[in-house]
Amino acid sequence: KKAGKKKCRTGLSTNRVTSQLPPPPPPFLLPVPPPVKDPSPPPPPHTHTLTRTLKLIAMASTPTPTATTTTNTSTKPKSKSPSSIPRVKLVDLGTTAEQGILDLMASAYSHTLSAPDFDDRLHSIKKSFQVRDYVAVFQPENLSTYLVNYVPSRALAYYTIFARYPALLKLLRKKNMNLCCLGGGPGSEVLGAAMVAVASKRDLSLTVHIHDNADWEESTDELFNAIESVWGVNENILKPRHYLTDILGESKQLAEHLSTCGLISLMFTVNELFVKKKEAMEFLKRLRDQMKPGAYLLIVDSAGSFSEITISGRKYMIYELFDFFPGFEKVIGENSTWYRQPEDISFPLKLNNYRYFIRLYRKLQ
């Protein structure tokens, strides 16, 4: 995935205990006003500094929230999910949902899988990932190779995530729902949502606005065409739309979708955005300000060191920043959950397991 239109990422990680706050961060490139004296006894310095600084980061350059705007900093999620979803053979496909996803990908991209330079190109992509050179990863000549290697694993994980959390599944199945998918260019989110439609007898009316800074439209044509022709998921059920967008920049089209969509997703995208920390923080503030009240923000990313950001020599998990953003209610919050590929599925390439964190927030009035 990438900043702007569509993307994906990978990574495993280390556990974090939400009840243990990290060391106090610096002002993060934003001016911190002088502290206001409080006549009551001060809280422990560690907790006070972290809370105050992250709130200031989040609120910088935005209007002061009204008395009805609250911040949910609770580490206890409001929605508890089951540990797994039932795996059953779908009558329409003659196989399980997971194998159906893989069969569709293998068929739609057989020409890419058999290309003579496939192995060399994939090796180059993986080397660029290791040094976080996302510009090199998402060169136009790499997109089909990237897509066929990473989208199958991601789509399997995303389908499971969509189906596993009741609050999230209810959102996707809401009539005429609009999803703004940031960095979802390769189509993993669309493929996962399409399988939700198949598994739910096509009870979906979802429009997906995909913003990515790489031009994935041509590379995903085979995927989206196959979803309709093989699975019967047409545009009345699931309508994907691509937009070539610099997510970290100013975009009227993106601003419109952020302000009108009921669900906004950042799935394995945040890490790439934070290669440019200052620009990423400015974008997150715009995102928060432009979202309409009642809209939902979904964030899924690696649960380990790949999701750590370093500020003045100290490391923090990215979700710690989001948890302190004011004006949001946490609906789902898990810091470390495994998605493991079923053992009875097959695909020409290796499939990855993921240890991810997930956050679903609702913007308050």
Side-chain angles (χ1 to χ4, degrees), residues 290-322:
Q290 292 169 355
M291 283 179 62
K292 66 179 181 180
Y296 290 80
L297 174 63
L298 172 65
I299 304 168
V300 178
D301 222 306
S302 166
S305 58
F306 209 69
S307 288
E308 290 179 343
I309 58 173
T310 302
I311 305 173
S312 297
R314 297 184 185 276
K315 293 182 179 181
Y316 307 92
M317 294 298 290
I318 284 177
Y319 56 73
E320 293 177 285
L321 298 179
F322 287 96

Side-chain angles (χ1 to χ4, degrees), residues 273-301:
L273 298 182
F274 268 86
V275 170
K276 299 179 178 179
K277 294 177 187 175
K278 183 177 180 180
E279 291 88 341
M281 285 303 303
E282 290 298 322
F283 164 71
L284 294 180
K285 288 181 290 184
R286 288 198 303 274
L287 167 66
R288 188 272 316 276
D289 295 342
Q290 292 169 355
M291 283 179 62
K292 66 179 181 180
Y296 290 80
L297 174 63
L298 172 65
I299 304 168
V300 178
D301 222 306

Side-chain angles (χ1 to χ4, degrees), residues 177-195:
M177 172 57 74
N178 281 273
L179 165 62
C180 181
C181 187
L182 302 177
S188 304
E189 294 89 334
V190 172
L191 184 53
M195 181 50 77

Side-chain angles (χ1 to χ4, degrees), residues 10 27 79 91 111 185 206 348:
T10 55
S79 174
V91 176
H111 59 289
L206 179 66

Side-chain angles (χ1 to χ4, degrees), residues 11-30:
L12 305 177
S13 302
T14 58
N15 284 319
R16 282 286 170 133
V17 180
T18 16
S19 60
Q20 295 179 348
L21 291 173
F28 195 76
L29 304 178
L30 295 176

